[in-house]
Amino acid sequence: MAVYESMSTRTKPRSRTLERIGRTIPGILFLTPAVVAFLLLRYYPLIRGLLMSLYRWDVANPPGTYVGVQNFVLTIRSEVFRILLINTFALYAFGLLCGFWVPIVQSLLLSELRLGHYVYRFLYVLPVAVPGIASLMVWKYIWHPQAGLANAVMQGLGLPTQLWLSDPQLVKLTLRLPGLLGGGMGILIYLAAIQNISVETIEAAIMDGASAPQRAWYIVLPSILPIVGILFVLSLTGSLLTFDDVWIMTAGGPGYASTTLVMGVYQRAFVQNQFGIGSAWAVVILVMTLILTLGRLYTMREERM
Amino acid sequence: MDRTDAGLPQGESITGLRGPSTIELSWQDKTYRTVCYILSTLWVAFTMFPLFWLLTSTFKDPVDIMKMPPDFVPQVPLVYTVQLDYTGVSLPEGLTIEQAIREDMAIATWRVPDWLANIRLGAIRAEAYLDGRKVAETFLPSHQFGWYRGRIWASQRLSDSLVRRELDTALFPIEFDMDLEGGLTRANAGEANEFTAQVAELFGTQLMTTGNPVAVSARRYWPALINNFIGAWRAPARLAPGMTFAGYLSNSLKITLSDILLQWLVSGMAAYALSRILTPRFSRIWTIFFLITMMVPGVATLIPMYELVGKLGLHDKLLGVIIPAIPGAFTIYLFKGFFDALPGDIFDSARIDGASEFSIFFRLVLPMSKNVFTVIGLLTFLSSWNNFFWPYLVLRSPRVWTFTIAIYMAMGGSGAAGTQYGNAMASAVMASLPTVLVFALFSRSIQQGMVWSGLKG
């Protein structure tokens, strides 16, 4: 015991410094790969993007001519930008109309099931396991004007057939209609939230004579509302970035009817070679998402307090 | 060790539904539950429907894929047999009977599908007869002519005489058995249907053969049901000689596995340093340094990133997809949350025992963190495997395409859409098998991960 004490008192000051060093070096080593990756692949492109937006960027001979905020002025004044912004929000609105509420209802229904609960949940989520491109392709086939199932159903119901994805009026709704089928991650999130409701609350409600539909409406639904709110705001932020699915289905067509903001960036940069203007668009999108994200973080902090 | 402690959003318990199941249900509750069952069943059926439609459509003949109204159950394609008789025909000058048969077989097998592009055709067989003996036979399953059907031939670029010249090229392979002396066994030919007459009519009007057409018959040909799969498997050879669909899958797999390993290593180590090595002050600074990038959407760095990948000489290389995916703020967040919740005494005692941070990480932390490594591996797998846009931008030549690009390209081709849909859908099914398998095996971890990632900011 005495030996131990004397040793520890003797080695303590040195061991602390040693420990510092012994922990600093591995700390640096452990962090370095990630820090380098983030600096090179996140921070550098971000700053360079901001820089590009201030130039009439010359790809062959960068940076080209400095034009100040001219690219931003052009962007905000541009008719195309306005159309694409409207398209993006219209797609979001149709998404709310056709898709957003579906997993909520599905998970409320599913939460009542006991027998086969896991099977139902697995089947609801299974479509997520299939690569996005695969299900998008099926939908492209279903919407095919001549051979698609959608028009076969329309014919069967005695309704006029439609051009669906080729119809400028209809394309945005058509892109979001599959949302009605629901399923996917949303269900899992809502189910998890429903499971977090305490059994006591539910049992108390039963004792008070609340029927199952009443419990669903007055207890379950209100208690998952915060999660609904979070997903709602997340989907709003995400909607500004809509690209992949629409690109695969319509490539933005017909005309500009389903072109989104991100596609605008793509077209400016990679089709028209206007890297400066494209970067200005990207910066505008960045600022909009930042405003939405910071707004969300701010309101969430308010709620927590 | 409960994952709910790991600084993560609430609601990740994936255990069965807790509920007052012991309490006797009133009749209203029972009715409500029944309604829920009915609605859920219907809705699940709807949700699953696109998958069902994808699967059944891949077994359809290209003609049926474009049929209106569509079939719900794929029909079995037919094999058409054309019989040509050479008994007593006068051969054109300078042509032996062998050559004549060879040319006729080529015309019958390659040009009939072309002229009659609206027939559900699983395969075509041509037979040559001489003095009542069957002396030659050739057989062409439709996945071989599938892509050319109604394309090259209909444009009249290849007349009968051109077919003769093209006989030996790899483009239009003709393999056949010939035995002029003995004779071949006869196959069961089948019967006549509405289309056999059309086929017969072609001979003598559109298609000029040396032998006399005697009979055309049809019968079911079950193997043709998987023609789309065979076609899709072989289709890449048109773009990159010698390549099969496996090439695309292996490109996707290489990217996916590298992404998973790098996430584990780079993000895992960084998160461990943030959680267990650095002093709280430094840890906070660096955590913010990493996590703040979650607020920056990919589009904001798209153009410079493309430029950067070009500067690094990685355009058209798999590394051009792998390297930009290394910074993973969300995985650092998940890892850190998990490591924070590990009991601290273990680390202290390991350090007192003189273990280095590296051995603590690899010997101690890794085995304890199987859960979080699995979840992050699976999330990375799903997103990397399905990734489309960045690979599409960076990988230009078919040899390095991922399957997502390949399917997109197969869909995007205009004209002869039927053929392409068949191929694209069969490719999609093949590429879905790994994910569906992984999903079924790791259902629990994946669902866990999805709840986490769905709530990320």
Side-chain angles (χ1 to χ4, degrees), chain B residues 340-354:
Chain B
D340 282 346
L342 292 175
D345 329 349
I346 309 173
F347 298 97
D348 293 340
S349 54
R351 280 182 195 127
I352 288 166
D353 290 348

Side-chain angles (χ1 to χ4, degrees), chain B residues 28 54 71 73 83 112 142-143 176 187 211 228 242 266 289 312 323 330 335 375 383 398 429 434 453:
Chain B
Q28 290 149 309
L54 172 69
D71 301 316
V73 180
Q83 296 177 349
V112 168
S142 65
H143 59 80
F176 66 102
N228 285 327
V266 177
F289 169 83
L312 296 174
I323 288 178
F330 182 61
F335 270 127
V375 169
S383 73
V429 170
S453 69

Side-chain angles (χ1 to χ4, degrees), chain B residues 328-386:
Chain B
F330 182 61
T331 46
I332 291 182
Y333 170 70
L334 280 188
F335 270 127
K336 182 176 181 296
F338 190 90
F339 295 151
D340 282 346
L342 292 175
D345 329 349
I346 309 173
F347 298 97
D348 293 340
S349 54
R351 280 182 195 127
I352 288 166
D353 290 348
S356 74
E357 294 296 336
F358 280 93
S359 65
I360 293 178
F361 181 71
F362 287 103
R363 298 248 176 87
L364 203 66
V365 177
L366 280 188
M368 280 199 305
S369 317
K370 274 184 196 142
N371 268 337
V372 73
F373 275 90
T374 313
V375 169
I376 285 171
L378 291 168
L379 287 180
T380 313
F381 170 79
L382 285 183
S383 73
S384 291
W385 185 256
N386 300 336

